[in-house]
Amino acid sequence: MESWKKNLWILWFGSFIVSSSFSMVIPFLPLFLIELGVTKHTEMWSGLLFSSAFFAGALSSPFWGAVGDKYGRKPMIIRAGMVLFVIYVLMAFVTNEYQVLILRLLQGLLSGFIPGAIAIVGTNTPEKKVGYALSMMSTATATGGIMGPMIGGTLASLFSNRMAFGLAGGLCFIATLLVIFWVKEEKFVPSKERVSVMNTFKVAGHNKALLTVLALTLLTQFSVMTIEPVLPLYIAQIGGSSSHTSMIAGFVFSIVGIASILFAARWGRLADKIGFHKVLLIGLLASGIGSLAQMLFSNIWAFSAIRFVYGAFFCAVFPALNGLVVRNTPSEFRGRAFSLSQTANQIGGMAGPLFGGLVSGIFNIHSVFMMTGLLMLITTVITYWTMRNSGQSPLPAKNKTSASS
């Protein structure tokens, strides 16, 4: 097997495990707080614990990206994997909410497994296969996001939430061992610059194409996350009083991830042929229309069908954005570039739900679907505009190749 394929499948499996371990425990944090005896302000603590790791990660990602560019992305993945192993194991032994908060902050400050894995895949994969490889990495996180809650919920029911944390740590340790023994970082060119977050921002500031991709990443994540606080409420509202409402809600939540597993690789192959810009434009436009269409259906099964179609197109977006990071950065800056992309993603992921909850509180649930769709369409227009200004034709042209994107 070719080296890049071996790296891809090992890092795919490792990212799947890390994504599974994350989603295995995070949805059950509110229940774990109750188990710890937190009976007052449980919702506040739940939100604080959920967002703290993202906030800390947004601050620390540029630093770890700079370290990775200087000393190698593989060592950074190993470091992050061991950190997750230790934190999840310690989480199984906490006795109060303050200890959980400290561990969540440390998780955000010290982790970075998946961005490091994406950086290695983006750098070590042959040029004509980058789209396919990055799309496969997207399916890893999507699959993990679907399987994690199922595994975590089963363990919590049969044993306890502490057992779920312990198993999550064990899985992260296995993923780290796979990277240690079987991943080879062959095309690594060490950065000659000193490790400096300010220097990272300075270099990025002179790369207009990268800054555009980072802005699109933030805006896309912000747009799609505005619906997160109200989606469970809407599903419960249109699902009726069925005794299987929880199961139906779980199915509706998972269906976007299922669509991603089925279609992401196809979008990746298409991106290798026609370019990441064009695939990004298609994905954003269809996702915006799909978001608006969701508010038209009050039947749970019709709503689910629209969510599936939406997921089939939206899964093209983030791999295309990652592909544009690869296309617009030299290999010696790629770790820092992906760390900045991670920061943009996390900022959007924190701000989006807050904005969505605010809009829903002032107006109604349907207004959030409208806001999400309009934001996605605005992102589409910005993408089209940047393509025109950068000399990229939004329409197929005989003299252009995918390498131009």
Side-chain angles (χ1 to χ4, degrees):
M1 181 183 291
E2 295 177 72
S3 178
W4 73 269
K5 289 184 178 179
K6 184 178 179 181
N7 279 352
L8 173 61
W9 287 112
I10 292 173
L11 292 171
W12 185 98
F13 187 67
S15 297
F16 163 74
I17 288 179
V18 170
S19 179
S20 296
S21 66
F22 177 83
S23 60
M24 184 188 301
V25 297
I26 296 307
F28 306 101
L29 274 178
L31 299 177
F32 189 53
L33 286 171
I34 295 174
E35 186 179 319
L36 290 174
V38 181
T39 57
K40 295 182 179 180
H41 309 296
T42 306
E43 294 84 359
M44 182 198 72
W45 271 104
S46 178
L48 181 61
L49 293 177
F50 182 82
S51 61
S52 58
F54 290 102
F55 177 73
L59 295 177
S60 65
S61 286
F63 171 76
W64 292 120
V67 175
D69 280 341
K70 191 171 185 65
Y71 300 106
R73 289 84 188 230
K74 179 177 175 178
M76 292 302 100
I77 296 175
I78 295 171
R79 173 199 56 75
M82 294 305 296
V83 165
L84 289 173
F85 163 62
V86 172
I87 285 176
Y88 281 137
V89 170
L90 290 176
M91 199 82 79
F93 296 96
V94 297
T95 57
N96 59 63
E97 63 272 31
Y98 298 99
Q99 293 173 352
V100 179
L101 178 60
I102 291 172
L103 289 175
R104 288 285 292 162
L105 286 169
L106 289 174
Q107 180 180 342
L109 288 171
L110 301 176
S111 62
F113 187 103
I114 293 176
I118 293 173
I120 287 184
V121 169
T123 302
N124 287 267
T125 302
E127 188 80 6
K128 62 181 180 179
K129 297 290 185 181
V130 169
Y132 166 75
L134 292 176
S135 295
M136 289 302 297
M137 293 300 290
S138 179
T139 67
T141 56
T143 307
I146 293 172
M147 296 298 295
M150 296 169 57
I151 299 171
T154 302
L155 285 173
S157 298
L158 295 177
F159 303 100
S160 67
N161 286 299
R162 294 181 186 275
M163 177 64 73
F165 281 113
L167 180 61
L171 289 175
C172 289
F173 184 70
I174 293 172
T176 306
L177 290 180
L178 291 175
V179 173
I180 291 173
F181 292 110
W182 282 292
V183 169
K184 293 183 179 180
E185 190 175 5
E186 296 176 336
K187 297 181 181 180
F188 175 63
V189 179
S191 171
K192 297 179 181 180
E193 301 170 4
R194 65 186 181 88
V195 177
S196 168
V197 174
M198 291 305 297
N199 188 59
T200 296
F201 285 114
K202 181 180 178 181
V203 174
H206 288 90
N207 188 332
K208 292 183 179 180
L210 176 61
L211 289 177
T212 300
V213 175
L214 295 179
L216 291 173
T217 299
L218 191 156
L219 187 55
T220 300
Q221 182 71 349
F222 176 85
S223 302
V224 73
M225 289 299 289
T226 55
I227 202 66
E228 287 298 304
V230 300
L231 188 57
L233 300 175
Y234 187 69
I235 293 172
Q237 179 181 312
I238 65 176
S241 57
S242 169
S243 58
H244 301 294
T245 299
S246 297
M247 183 181 68
I248 293 172
F251 169 76
V252 176
F253 264 102
S254 301
I255 202 165
V256 172
I258 294 172
S260 178
I261 294 169
L262 295 175
F263 291 98
R266 291 175 171 84
W267 285 114
R269 292 189 180 96
L270 183 62
D272 287 328
K273 293 179 180 179
I274 69 172
F276 290 108
H277 262 128
K278 297 183 182 72
V279 167
L280 176 61
L281 191 64
I282 296 169
L284 287 172
L285 178 61
S287 299
I289 295 172
S291 295
L292 292 174
Q294 290 176 54
M295 70 183 198
L296 302 177
F297 295 90
S298 57
N299 176 277
I300 187 66
W301 301 115
F303 179 77
S304 299
I306 292 296
R307 289 282 294 172
F308 180 83
V309 174
Y310 161 84
F313 283 92
F314 183 73
C315 67
V317 174
F318 279 110
L321 287 168
N322 288 335
L324 289 173
V325 171
V326 173
R327 291 284 192 262
N328 291 299
T329 56
S331 61
E332 63 269 18
F333 188 75
R334 203 153 290 157
R336 283 168 286 178
F338 275 110
S339 71
L340 291 172
S341 177
Q342 177 77 353
T343 295
N345 195 296
Q346 289 174 326
I347 292 173
M350 286 188 298
L354 295 174
F355 184 72
L358 179 64
V359 171
S360 177
I362 296 175
F363 301 103
N364 53 46
I365 291 178
H366 286 100
S367 65
V368 184
F369 282 104
M370 180 178 293
M371 185 64 64
T372 299
L374 291 176
L375 286 170
M376 295 291 284
L377 294 177
I378 290 171
T379 309
T380 305
V381 172
I382 295 174
T383 302
Y384 181 88
W385 180 73
T386 57
M387 289 171 65
R388 291 289 298 271
N389 283 355
S390 63
Q392 292 288 331
S393 173
L395 301 174
K398 293 181 180 179
N399 296 327
K400 291 186 180 290
T401 65
S402 62
S404 66
S405 61

